[in-house]
Amino acid sequence: MHASISQQNTNDRTAIVIGSSMAGLLSARVLADYFARVVVVERDTLPQEPQTRTGVPQANHVHVLLTQGKRILEKLFPGIDSEIKEAGAPKIDWAKEYALFGFWGWHPHIESDLITHTCSRAFLEWLVHRRLLSFDNVKFLEKTQVQELLSDESNSQVKGVKVYHLDRHQEEELTADLVVDASGRNSQARNWLKSMGYQTPEKTEINSFLGYSTRWYERPQNLEVNWQALGVLSKPPHNKRGGVLVPAEGNRWIITLGGIGKDYPPTDDKGFLEYARTLRNSAIYDLIKDAKPISKVYGYRRTENCWHRYEKLARLPDGLVIIGDAVCAFNPIYGQGMTTAALGALTLQKCLQKQFSGSNYTIVGLAKKFQKQLAQVLKTPWLMATSDDCRWESTEGGKPDTMTRFMHKYMDEVMLLSTRQPKLHRTFFEVIHMIKPPAALFAPGIVLGVLGQVIRAKINGNSRKVLATSTEVLS
Ligand SMILES: Cc1cc2nc3c(=O)[nH]c(=O)nc-3n(C[C@H](O)[C@H](O)[C@H](O)COP(=O)(O)OP(=O)(O)OC[C@H]3O[C@@H](n4cnc5c(N)ncnc54)[C@H](O)[C@@H]3O)c2cc1C
């Protein structure tokens, strides 16, 4: 059994977490250091082996844990990266071994410390759950659905949750000092707050109408290539289709095709292959046309960016915090969800540390402080996801202003420059992997490089040609 590591955990506090997916699991890990009991309430039965479950249907699709997310996970669960590796998850250096066909052709390869082991989402979640089972103060209540919040008479403090045991068909009231809502995109927190007499938070939604189709393949034996994963980007304003190939444990490839603006990839065998053939580069099609599929084709269309602005509410009850997709869900194409959930858990950790420092044992004030700090953390991934989505005419909920249009142009130039400058390619990936802030792409050397490129293009008649469209640059 893993004893809680914090000396502060000599208390009688209880925390309840709603949802046992990534945000819930990582929150539970953090709470275990500050609460005598942590109860994770989950609607589903949690699988004994890695497998997709009803509450997390997105697990059938490619799930890249960005380098920042991996580092946080390792901090929270020391040694977990080795466990992922031991399960057969391939190691990838993202600046060197991710063959990327970007807006202007293939990007160069350069060594970096952006190293992760790519695995299936089901395996990752199963592993984190298993690690948490060894904490003696963390318990899982499966097949149990949270129905509503319990509060004190004045509705100023959440006191627990009312649950429904799906197997026993019984209701029960569970009391807690803190409730963490990590129930994902369909969180009922805004309705629960409303029924307690609070305002519902402002909701910002930006939808590029992206659809995914994913199929799993056996990695062909004897394939010798200098990359581990491969991506072909869509290119605004007209090329709406993109795709990725990411390896996973068990010698498998996960192929996810995506189409923006309702140009949804089909979910039948032939249609899936045909769609892959129509990407801006045929590399993925060439690789899978003769490979052995080992799954059906899964579809997914719930991909809008959606941010509930709880931090802006004048009043929030104490004893409730909202985290993960329940607060802010992103267009998954940028792979930010799990890493942002991990950053959210670290934010909770910081807030709890401060809250319970010295002789203070009250939960009062935590909720508001947490939601405000979380909002700061969410700003950058939100900007990265939504600004790019606004490049598409068909996107609803946000149109690019002058500044955003300038940023799009600047980023196009950065992408072009990075096809010739491996170091810039690496910086670009450090930003994508949330290791460096986007401001890193505005370093003086990069701005000068972009300016030089623009001036040269003007002199040469503004030519911008895609560097390569075939697979020949891959080996
Ligand atoms: C197609 C797709 C691809 C993605 N790809 C990536 C990627 O490559 N990289 C990445 O980092 N992220 C990716 N994401 C995002 C990622 O899946 C989420 O951000 C991440 O899982 C964190 O979500 P969450 O834990 O907040 O909520 P969810 O994963 O939605 O989990 C919510 C949990 O709460 C449970 N629950 C809900 N309501 C109740 C209730 N009332 N009572 C009890 N339990 C309840 C559900 O059963 C579920 O277990 C992708 C998402 C999608 C849709």
Side-chain angles (χ1 to χ4, degrees), residues 74-342:
E74 185 65 25
K75 247 186 235 163
L76 295 176
F77 298 98
I80 198 163
D81 192 46
S82 302
E83 287 186 69
I84 297 172
K85 179 181 159 198
E86 277 155 26
K91 172 171 161 267
I92 172 165
D93 174 338
W94 284 94
K96 188 179 171 210
E97 293 167 315
Y98 175 48
L100 175 66
F101 191 79
F103 288 177
W104 308 101
W106 292 108
H107 281 234
H109 298 193
I110 181 170
E111 233 159 75
S112 76
D113 58 359
L114 301 171
I115 293 170
T116 70
H117 291 94
T118 54
C119 64
S120 65
R121 162 63 198 250
F123 174 76
L124 186 63
E125 194 182 303
W126 170 82
L127 185 61
V128 175
H129 173 229
R130 215 183 56 171
R131 288 288 294 259
L132 269 175
L133 287 175
S134 69
F135 281 67
D136 51 12
N137 62 339
V138 180
K139 298 279 173 270
F140 288 84
L141 207 51
E142 302 176 37
K143 290 173 264 180
T144 306
Q145 174 153 357
V146 172
Q147 293 184 313
E148 59 188 66
L149 299 174
L150 306 175
S151 60
D152 64 358
E153 276 190 5
S154 63
N155 277 339
S156 60
Q157 179 135 10
V158 169
K159 291 285 190 189
V161 293
K162 185 171 172 186
V163 299
Y164 183 73
H165 296 285
L166 296 160
D167 49 354
R168 288 184 263 145
H169 304 291
Q170 256 176 10
E171 285 183 348
E172 191 184 357
E173 293 194 347
L174 306 174
T175 56
D177 301 274
L178 180 67
V179 173
V180 176
D181 178 16
S183 60
R185 274 184 188 267
N186 295 324
S187 158
Q188 294 302 308
R190 51 191 298 122
N191 299 331
W192 291 335
L193 284 178
K194 192 175 173 195
S195 67
M196 286 168 65
Y198 290 86
Q199 281 190 316
T200 44
E202 176 190 319
K203 176 165 118 177
T204 314
E205 208 170 282
I206 297 181
N207 196 346
S208 68
F209 297 97
L210 165 77
Y212 268 14
S213 284
T214 296
R215 194 166 208 191
W216 297 57
Y217 287 79
E218 199 175 281
R219 187 188 193 280
Q221 282 176 351
N222 309 324
L223 178 76
E224 287 199 15
V225 284
N226 65 355
W227 48 266
Q228 283 285 2
L230 191 149
V232 176
L233 297 190
S234 53
K235 186 177 179 189
H238 302 302
N239 294 109
K240 297 177 175 176
R241 301 178 175 190
V244 283
L245 177 163
V246 173
E249 76 283 1
N251 210 30
R252 294 176 292 172
W253 276 347
I254 313 171
I255 311 290
T256 291
L257 305 179
I260 303 260
K262 299 188 185 168
D263 185 11
Y264 299 128
T267 51
D268 63 288
D269 298 8
K270 267 194 188 153
F272 183 80
L273 260 188
E274 179 53 25
Y275 196 94
R277 204 182 56 76
T278 63
L279 302 191
R280 291 176 49 239
N281 181 285
S282 65
I284 293 180
Y285 171 77
D286 294 340
L287 286 157
I288 61 171
K289 69 180 190 315
D290 298 319
K292 184 178 167 198
I294 49 174
S295 79
K296 64 174 199 166
V297 183
Y298 302 98
Y300 202 94
R301 294 185 182 175
R302 185 87 195 277
T303 59
E304 71 278 9
N305 302 284
C306 181
W307 190 354
H308 304 271
R309 309 303 301 258
Y310 289 103
E311 84 285 0
K312 289 189 178 176
L313 288 179
R315 286 172 59 243
L316 266 177
D318 282 307
L320 172 71
V321 299
I322 306 141
I323 202 164
D325 283 14
V327 177
C328 187
F330 303 97
N331 174 341
I333 218 165
Y334 310 101
Q336 298 167 312
M338 296 189 293
T339 297
T340 308

Side-chain angles (χ1 to χ4, degrees), residues 29-61:
R29 166 64 195 88
V30 162
L31 293 163
D33 288 343
Y34 297 91
F35 289 78
R37 283 171 299 280
V38 179
V39 182
V40 184
V41 183
E42 170 56 51
R43 214 165 38 187
D44 283 352
T45 304
L46 295 171
Q48 299 289 313
E49 300 293 330
Q51 69 186 55
T52 304
R53 57 188 174 84
T54 319
V56 188
Q58 70 266 34
N60 287 321
H61 301 270

